[in-house]
Amino acid sequence: MSPAPRRRSVLLATAAVTAAATAPAGAATPVRHRASGPLVIGHRGAAGWRPEHTADAYTYAVRAGADWIEPDLVPTKDHVLVVRHENEIGGTTDVAGRPEFADRRTTRTVDGRAVTGWFTEDFTLRELRTLRTVERLPLVRNRNTVFDGRGRVMTFQEVIDLARRLSGESGRRIAVFPETKHPTYFRSTGLPLEEELIRVIRRNRLTARECVVQSFEPSSLHRIAAARLGLPLWQALGTSGSPYGHAVTYRDMMSPAGLREIASYAQWIGPDKSSLVPPHTLLADAHAAGLKVGAYTFRAENQYLPAAHRRGTAPNDFGDAFTEYAFHYGQGVDAVVTDFPDIAVQAREGLRR
């Protein structure tokens, strides 16, 4: 089959979900059950179809069948947890075009790297409320730019409230999957993430079915574990180097001994999907250690797919994402973190059939 029909088939397969997600809440026909198989986690909502970390993105993800939705947590100047992929917001909001905030542009060293832009920790929540969200990857996902300016920066509390409303709408229990971003850095600034996250979790009485906490930094998860919240914890794993501020390397963490250590405080690991492709034995080793495995991040564009699954040469065209899901589902992953939850759900339904 030629590249063009394959790409059209993926787009046509998502058309019905697109219509549902953009319709008013009462008019949509959301997915009301989860097929048996791996969990589908909406990465920053449904970042492939809507600007990430917006109410539109989270709503799309759930109506498409996602089981969990992922908010990345960073603090405001007045120590409110808001959801942004990074604390630098020049690429995800319209702040760069707002003259009243021109003097907030600065350079900070975050996790040992110099970053220039506008940072959430320099804004109060009230100030952030005046900004509007935009697509982070406009050259990759030009279709999403039509939604620029329609959303606002959400608080973690608002994501919890939305997840509960969408749970009622869909008839499914939708979990929130918060990630503590740059926790060592924020602790050094006097805006620690964990204490505020614990407070919000307790205030909302979130249960193990409603919340799973993730971080790349083990020290952050240890702080959460010490609070005895009864929630599952997820140790995210990079492909190289070490978690910031930690001597242990990701390679060591993915060894059988490292996995046993992770299992002493967490229930999940979250490796890059490439770490699960043979000859790697990480999936089997993690299961042997009693850990569940959720792979990240699944996308549909050629540039994010293995070479064998690409269709044509245009990097932003869709490739054969279904085949990649089928491979990982067949290997036995317990969850997938995806920008396109609708495609992941359809692939899961295909596995069941």
Short mmCIF file of all heavy atoms in Angstrom, two decimals, residues 39-41 68 70 177-180 211-218 220-222 224 231-237 253 262 265-272 291-296 333-338:
data_model
loop_
_atom_site.label_atom_id
_atom_site.label_comp_id
_atom_site.label_asym_id
_atom_site.label_seq_id
_atom_site.Cartn_x
_atom_site.Cartn_y
_atom_site.Cartn_z
N LEU A 39 -3.07 -0.17 29.90
CA LEU A 39 -3.66 1.14 30.14
C LEU A 39 -3.20 2.12 29.06
O LEU A 39 -2.05 2.05 28.59
CB LEU A 39 -3.24 1.67 31.50
CG LEU A 39 -3.77 0.93 32.73
CD1 LEU A 39 -2.98 1.32 33.95
CD2 LEU A 39 -5.25 1.22 32.91
N VAL A 40 -4.06 3.03 28.69
CA VAL A 40 -3.71 4.11 27.77
C VAL A 40 -3.69 5.41 28.56
O VAL A 40 -4.68 5.79 29.19
CB VAL A 40 -4.71 4.20 26.60
CG1 VAL A 40 -4.47 5.46 25.77
CG2 VAL A 40 -4.60 2.96 25.72
N ILE A 41 -2.54 6.08 28.53
CA ILE A 41 -2.33 7.30 29.31
C ILE A 41 -2.20 8.47 28.35
O ILE A 41 -1.31 8.48 27.48
CB ILE A 41 -1.06 7.19 30.18
CG1 ILE A 41 -1.18 5.98 31.12
CG2 ILE A 41 -0.85 8.47 30.97
CD1 ILE A 41 0.08 5.68 31.89
N TRP A 68 -5.91 7.24 31.98
CA TRP A 68 -5.29 8.24 32.83
C TRP A 68 -4.96 9.46 32.00
O TRP A 68 -4.78 9.36 30.77
CB TRP A 68 -3.97 7.74 33.43
CG TRP A 68 -4.00 6.49 34.25
CD1 TRP A 68 -5.07 5.71 34.58
CD2 TRP A 68 -2.85 5.85 34.83
NE1 TRP A 68 -4.67 4.63 35.33
CE2 TRP A 68 -3.30 4.70 35.50
CE3 TRP A 68 -1.49 6.14 34.86
CZ2 TRP A 68 -2.44 3.84 36.18
CZ3 TRP A 68 -0.63 5.29 35.54
CH2 TRP A 68 -1.11 4.15 36.19
N GLU A 70 -2.21 12.91 32.08
CA GLU A 70 -0.95 13.30 32.71
C GLU A 70 -0.78 14.82 32.81
O GLU A 70 -0.61 15.48 31.78
CB GLU A 70 0.23 12.73 31.93
CG GLU A 70 1.56 12.99 32.60
CD GLU A 70 2.70 13.24 31.62
OE1 GLU A 70 2.44 13.73 30.50
OE2 GLU A 70 3.85 12.97 31.99
N PHE A 177 -2.31 11.57 36.66
CA PHE A 177 -0.97 10.99 36.67
C PHE A 177 0.06 12.11 36.72
O PHE A 177 0.78 12.37 35.77
CB PHE A 177 -0.83 10.15 35.38
CG PHE A 177 0.47 9.44 35.19
CD1 PHE A 177 1.08 8.74 36.21
CD2 PHE A 177 1.06 9.45 33.93
CE1 PHE A 177 2.28 8.07 35.99
CE2 PHE A 177 2.26 8.79 33.71
CZ PHE A 177 2.87 8.09 34.74
N PRO A 178 0.12 12.83 37.86
CA PRO A 178 0.99 14.00 37.94
C PRO A 178 2.47 13.63 37.97
O PRO A 178 2.87 12.65 38.60
CB PRO A 178 0.56 14.66 39.24
CG PRO A 178 0.07 13.52 40.08
CD PRO A 178 -0.61 12.59 39.11
N GLU A 179 3.28 14.48 37.32
CA GLU A 179 4.73 14.34 37.36
C GLU A 179 5.33 15.55 38.06
O GLU A 179 5.00 16.70 37.72
CB GLU A 179 5.34 14.23 35.97
CG GLU A 179 6.86 14.15 35.99
CD GLU A 179 7.51 14.12 34.62
OE1 GLU A 179 6.79 13.91 33.63
OE2 GLU A 179 8.74 14.31 34.55
N THR A 180 6.20 15.32 39.02
CA THR A 180 6.93 16.42 39.65
C THR A 180 8.08 16.81 38.72
O THR A 180 8.98 16.01 38.47
CB THR A 180 7.46 16.04 41.04
OG1 THR A 180 8.34 14.90 40.94
CG2 THR A 180 6.32 15.72 41.98
N CYS A 211 -5.18 8.37 41.37
CA CYS A 211 -3.93 9.13 41.26
C CYS A 211 -2.72 8.21 41.34
O CYS A 211 -2.65 7.34 42.22
CB CYS A 211 -3.87 10.18 42.37
SG CYS A 211 -2.42 11.25 42.29
N VAL A 212 -1.80 8.41 40.42
CA VAL A 212 -0.48 7.76 40.43
C VAL A 212 0.54 8.88 40.24
O VAL A 212 0.40 9.70 39.33
CB VAL A 212 -0.36 6.72 39.30
CG1 VAL A 212 1.03 6.09 39.30
CG2 VAL A 212 -1.44 5.65 39.43
N VAL A 213 1.55 8.93 41.10
CA VAL A 213 2.53 10.02 41.07
C VAL A 213 3.82 9.53 40.43
O VAL A 213 4.32 8.45 40.76
CB VAL A 213 2.83 10.55 42.49
CG1 VAL A 213 3.88 11.66 42.43
CG2 VAL A 213 1.55 11.04 43.15
N GLN A 214 4.35 10.34 39.52
CA GLN A 214 5.58 9.97 38.82
C GLN A 214 6.65 11.05 38.96
O GLN A 214 6.37 12.23 39.18
CB GLN A 214 5.31 9.75 37.33
CG GLN A 214 4.88 11.01 36.59
CD GLN A 214 4.91 10.86 35.08
OE1 GLN A 214 5.81 10.23 34.52
NE2 GLN A 214 3.93 11.45 34.41
N SER A 215 7.90 10.62 38.81
CA SER A 215 9.02 11.54 38.77
C SER A 215 10.23 10.83 38.19
O SER A 215 10.35 9.60 38.30
CB SER A 215 9.35 12.07 40.16
OG SER A 215 10.39 13.05 40.09
N PHE A 216 11.13 11.60 37.59
CA PHE A 216 12.42 11.06 37.18
C PHE A 216 13.40 11.03 38.35
O PHE A 216 14.40 10.33 38.29
CB PHE A 216 13.01 11.91 36.04
CG PHE A 216 12.43 11.60 34.70
CD1 PHE A 216 11.31 12.27 34.23
CD2 PHE A 216 13.01 10.64 33.86
CE1 PHE A 216 10.76 11.99 32.98
CE2 PHE A 216 12.48 10.35 32.62
CZ PHE A 216 11.36 11.03 32.17
N GLU A 217 13.12 11.80 39.40
CA GLU A 217 14.04 11.90 40.53
C GLU A 217 13.58 11.01 41.67
O GLU A 217 12.52 11.25 42.27
CB GLU A 217 14.16 13.35 40.99
CG GLU A 217 14.78 14.27 39.95
CD GLU A 217 15.05 15.67 40.49
OE1 GLU A 217 15.11 15.84 41.73
OE2 GLU A 217 15.19 16.59 39.66
N PRO A 218 14.36 9.98 42.02
CA PRO A 218 13.95 9.09 43.11
C PRO A 218 13.71 9.82 44.42
O PRO A 218 12.80 9.46 45.18
CB PRO A 218 15.15 8.13 43.23
CG PRO A 218 15.78 8.13 41.88
CD PRO A 218 15.59 9.52 41.35
N SER A 220 12.36 12.62 44.96
CA SER A 220 11.01 13.18 44.97
C SER A 220 9.99 12.10 45.33
O SER A 220 9.08 12.31 46.14
CB SER A 220 10.68 13.79 43.61
OG SER A 220 9.43 14.43 43.62
N LEU A 221 10.16 10.91 44.76
CA LEU A 221 9.23 9.82 45.06
C LEU A 221 9.39 9.35 46.50
O LEU A 221 8.40 8.98 47.14
CB LEU A 221 9.47 8.66 44.09
CG LEU A 221 9.11 8.95 42.62
CD1 LEU A 221 9.41 7.74 41.76
CD2 LEU A 221 7.65 9.37 42.47
N HIS A 222 10.61 9.37 47.02
CA HIS A 222 10.80 8.99 48.42
C HIS A 222 10.04 9.94 49.35
O HIS A 222 9.48 9.52 50.37
CB HIS A 222 12.28 8.97 48.77
CG HIS A 222 13.01 7.75 48.27
ND1 HIS A 222 12.68 6.47 48.67
CD2 HIS A 222 14.05 7.62 47.40
CE1 HIS A 222 13.48 5.60 48.07
NE2 HIS A 222 14.32 6.27 47.30
N ILE A 224 7.31 11.56 48.60
CA ILE A 224 5.89 11.22 48.48
C ILE A 224 5.59 9.94 49.25
O ILE A 224 4.59 9.84 49.97
CB ILE A 224 5.50 11.07 47.00
CG1 ILE A 224 5.75 12.36 46.22
CG2 ILE A 224 4.04 10.65 46.87
CD1 ILE A 224 4.94 13.54 46.67
N LEU A 231 -0.80 5.73 47.56
CA LEU A 231 -0.90 5.86 46.10
C LEU A 231 0.25 5.14 45.42
O LEU A 231 1.38 5.11 45.93
CB LEU A 231 -0.86 7.34 45.69
CG LEU A 231 -1.94 8.25 46.27
CD1 LEU A 231 -1.75 9.66 45.73
CD2 LEU A 231 -3.34 7.72 45.93
N PRO A 232 0.01 4.57 44.24
CA PRO A 232 1.11 3.98 43.48
C PRO A 232 2.09 5.07 43.03
O PRO A 232 1.69 6.20 42.74
CB PRO A 232 0.41 3.35 42.27
CG PRO A 232 -1.03 3.26 42.65
CD PRO A 232 -1.28 4.40 43.58
N LEU A 233 3.37 4.70 42.97
CA LEU A 233 4.41 5.60 42.51
C LEU A 233 5.06 5.02 41.26
O LEU A 233 5.18 3.80 41.11
CB LEU A 233 5.46 5.83 43.60
CG LEU A 233 4.93 6.37 44.93
CD1 LEU A 233 6.08 6.56 45.92
CD2 LEU A 233 4.17 7.68 44.74
N TRP A 234 5.51 5.92 40.39
CA TRP A 234 6.03 5.55 39.07
C TRP A 234 7.39 6.19 38.90
O TRP A 234 7.52 7.41 38.91
CB TRP A 234 5.04 6.05 38.02
CG TRP A 234 5.39 5.99 36.58
CD1 TRP A 234 6.48 6.51 35.95
CD2 TRP A 234 4.58 5.41 35.53
NE1 TRP A 234 6.42 6.30 34.59
CE2 TRP A 234 5.26 5.63 34.31
CE3 TRP A 234 3.35 4.76 35.52
CZ2 TRP A 234 4.74 5.20 33.08
CZ3 TRP A 234 2.85 4.34 34.29
CH2 TRP A 234 3.53 4.55 33.10
N GLN A 235 8.43 5.36 38.79
CA GLN A 235 9.79 5.86 38.57
C GLN A 235 10.03 5.99 37.08
O GLN A 235 10.14 5.00 36.37
CB GLN A 235 10.82 4.92 39.19
CG GLN A 235 12.26 5.32 38.94
CD GLN A 235 12.63 6.64 39.58
OE1 GLN A 235 12.59 6.77 40.80
NE2 GLN A 235 12.98 7.62 38.76
N ALA A 236 10.09 7.22 36.60
CA ALA A 236 10.38 7.46 35.19
C ALA A 236 11.89 7.29 34.97
O ALA A 236 12.71 7.61 35.83
CB ALA A 236 9.94 8.86 34.78
N LEU A 237 12.25 6.80 33.78
CA LEU A 237 13.64 6.48 33.47
C LEU A 237 14.06 7.10 32.15
O LEU A 237 13.36 6.96 31.14
CB LEU A 237 13.82 4.96 33.38
CG LEU A 237 13.50 4.16 34.66
CD1 LEU A 237 13.43 2.68 34.35
CD2 LEU A 237 14.53 4.45 35.74
N MET A 253 19.88 1.90 37.19
CA MET A 253 18.51 1.74 37.68
C MET A 253 17.76 0.67 36.90
O MET A 253 16.84 0.03 37.43
CB MET A 253 17.76 3.07 37.61
CG MET A 253 18.32 4.13 38.55
SD MET A 253 17.55 5.75 38.34
CE MET A 253 15.97 5.47 39.15
N ILE A 262 14.17 -0.05 43.03
CA ILE A 262 12.99 0.75 42.69
C ILE A 262 11.74 0.12 43.29
O ILE A 262 10.86 0.80 43.82
CB ILE A 262 12.85 0.88 41.16
CG1 ILE A 262 13.99 1.75 40.60
CG2 ILE A 262 11.49 1.48 40.79
CD1 ILE A 262 14.03 1.78 39.08
N TYR A 265 10.21 1.13 46.70
CA TYR A 265 9.44 2.36 46.96
C TYR A 265 8.41 2.68 45.88
O TYR A 265 7.56 3.54 46.08
CB TYR A 265 10.38 3.56 47.12
CG TYR A 265 11.20 3.90 45.90
CD1 TYR A 265 10.72 4.75 44.90
CD2 TYR A 265 12.50 3.40 45.75
CE1 TYR A 265 11.48 5.07 43.79
CE2 TYR A 265 13.28 3.72 44.64
CZ TYR A 265 12.76 4.55 43.66
OH TYR A 265 13.52 4.85 42.55
N ALA A 266 8.46 2.01 44.74
CA ALA A 266 7.54 2.31 43.63
C ALA A 266 6.91 1.03 43.11
O ALA A 266 7.40 -0.08 43.36
CB ALA A 266 8.28 3.04 42.51
N GLN A 267 5.82 1.21 42.36
CA GLN A 267 5.11 0.06 41.79
C GLN A 267 5.26 0.00 40.26
O GLN A 267 4.94 -1.01 39.65
CB GLN A 267 3.63 0.14 42.14
CG GLN A 267 3.32 -0.07 43.62
CD GLN A 267 3.78 1.09 44.49
OE1 GLN A 267 3.61 2.26 44.15
NE2 GLN A 267 4.39 0.76 45.62
N TRP A 268 5.72 1.10 39.68
CA TRP A 268 5.84 1.19 38.22
C TRP A 268 7.23 1.71 37.85
O TRP A 268 7.84 2.47 38.61
CB TRP A 268 4.84 2.20 37.66
CG TRP A 268 3.41 1.80 37.63
CD1 TRP A 268 2.50 1.85 38.67
CD2 TRP A 268 2.67 1.32 36.50
NE1 TRP A 268 1.26 1.44 38.25
CE2 TRP A 268 1.34 1.11 36.92
CE3 TRP A 268 3.01 1.05 35.17
CZ2 TRP A 268 0.34 0.64 36.06
CZ3 TRP A 268 2.02 0.59 34.31
CH2 TRP A 268 0.71 0.38 34.76
N ILE A 269 7.68 1.34 36.65
CA ILE A 269 8.74 2.08 35.99
C ILE A 269 8.19 2.60 34.66
O ILE A 269 7.29 2.00 34.06
CB ILE A 269 10.01 1.25 35.73
CG1 ILE A 269 9.73 0.05 34.82
CG2 ILE A 269 10.67 0.85 37.04
CD1 ILE A 269 10.97 -0.60 34.26
N GLY A 270 8.75 3.73 34.23
CA GLY A 270 8.34 4.34 32.97
C GLY A 270 9.55 4.59 32.09
O GLY A 270 10.12 5.69 32.13
N PRO A 271 9.99 3.61 31.31
CA PRO A 271 11.13 3.81 30.43
C PRO A 271 10.72 4.34 29.07
O PRO A 271 9.56 4.22 28.65
CB PRO A 271 11.70 2.40 30.29
CG PRO A 271 10.48 1.52 30.36
CD PRO A 271 9.52 2.21 31.31
N ASP A 272 11.67 4.93 28.36
CA ASP A 272 11.47 5.24 26.95
C ASP A 272 11.19 3.94 26.20
O ASP A 272 11.77 2.90 26.49
CB ASP A 272 12.73 5.91 26.39
CG ASP A 272 12.57 6.34 24.94
OD1 ASP A 272 12.78 5.48 24.06
OD2 ASP A 272 12.24 7.51 24.70
N LEU A 291 7.49 -5.17 39.24
CA LEU A 291 7.13 -3.83 38.77
C LEU A 291 6.28 -3.90 37.51
O LEU A 291 6.49 -4.76 36.65
CB LEU A 291 8.40 -3.03 38.47
CG LEU A 291 9.27 -2.65 39.67
CD1 LEU A 291 10.66 -2.25 39.20
CD2 LEU A 291 8.62 -1.51 40.46
N LYS A 292 5.34 -2.97 37.40
CA LYS A 292 4.63 -2.78 36.14
C LYS A 292 5.42 -1.81 35.27
O LYS A 292 6.20 -1.00 35.78
CB LYS A 292 3.22 -2.24 36.39
CG LYS A 292 2.31 -3.21 37.12
CD LYS A 292 0.92 -2.64 37.30
CE LYS A 292 0.00 -3.63 38.01
NZ LYS A 292 -1.37 -3.07 38.17
N VAL A 293 5.19 -1.90 33.96
CA VAL A 293 5.99 -1.13 33.01
C VAL A 293 5.06 -0.32 32.10
O VAL A 293 4.18 -0.88 31.44
CB VAL A 293 6.88 -2.06 32.15
CG1 VAL A 293 7.70 -1.23 31.16
CG2 VAL A 293 7.79 -2.88 33.04
N GLY A 294 5.27 1.00 32.09
CA GLY A 294 4.55 1.89 31.18
C GLY A 294 5.55 2.60 30.28
O GLY A 294 6.43 3.31 30.77
N ALA A 295 5.45 2.41 29.00
CA ALA A 295 6.43 2.96 28.05
C ALA A 295 5.99 4.32 27.54
O ALA A 295 4.81 4.57 27.34
CB ALA A 295 6.59 2.00 26.87
N TYR A 296 6.98 5.20 27.30
CA TYR A 296 6.71 6.51 26.74
C TYR A 296 7.63 6.75 25.55
O TYR A 296 8.63 6.07 25.40
CB TYR A 296 6.92 7.61 27.80
CG TYR A 296 8.37 7.87 28.20
CD1 TYR A 296 9.17 8.76 27.47
CD2 TYR A 296 8.95 7.22 29.28
CE1 TYR A 296 10.50 9.00 27.82
CE2 TYR A 296 10.27 7.45 29.63
CZ TYR A 296 11.04 8.33 28.90
OH TYR A 296 12.35 8.55 29.25
N VAL A 333 3.68 -4.86 27.64
CA VAL A 333 3.72 -3.66 28.46
C VAL A 333 2.39 -3.50 29.20
O VAL A 333 1.35 -3.95 28.73
CB VAL A 333 4.01 -2.39 27.63
CG1 VAL A 333 5.38 -2.45 26.99
CG2 VAL A 333 2.92 -2.15 26.59
N ASP A 334 2.46 -2.84 30.33
CA ASP A 334 1.27 -2.65 31.15
C ASP A 334 0.56 -1.34 30.86
O ASP A 334 -0.61 -1.16 31.24
CB ASP A 334 1.66 -2.70 32.63
CG ASP A 334 2.32 -4.03 32.99
OD1 ASP A 334 1.61 -5.05 33.01
OD2 ASP A 334 3.54 -4.04 33.21
N ALA A 335 1.25 -0.40 30.21
CA ALA A 335 0.66 0.89 29.88
C ALA A 335 1.47 1.54 28.77
O ALA A 335 2.67 1.23 28.60
CB ALA A 335 0.61 1.81 31.10
N VAL A 336 0.83 2.43 28.03
CA VAL A 336 1.52 3.26 27.04
C VAL A 336 1.16 4.71 27.32
O VAL A 336 0.02 5.04 27.64
CB VAL A 336 1.15 2.88 25.59
CG1 VAL A 336 1.65 1.48 25.25
CG2 VAL A 336 -0.35 3.00 25.33
N VAL A 337 2.16 5.57 27.23
CA VAL A 337 1.97 7.02 27.37
C VAL A 337 2.01 7.59 25.96
O VAL A 337 3.00 7.43 25.24
CB VAL A 337 3.09 7.63 28.23
CG1 VAL A 337 2.88 9.13 28.39
CG2 VAL A 337 3.15 6.95 29.60
N THR A 338 0.93 8.25 25.55
CA THR A 338 0.77 8.58 24.15
C THR A 338 0.20 9.98 23.92
O THR A 338 -0.67 10.43 24.67
CB THR A 338 -0.12 7.54 23.44
OG1 THR A 338 -0.36 7.94 22.09
CG2 THR A 338 -1.45 7.36 24.16
#
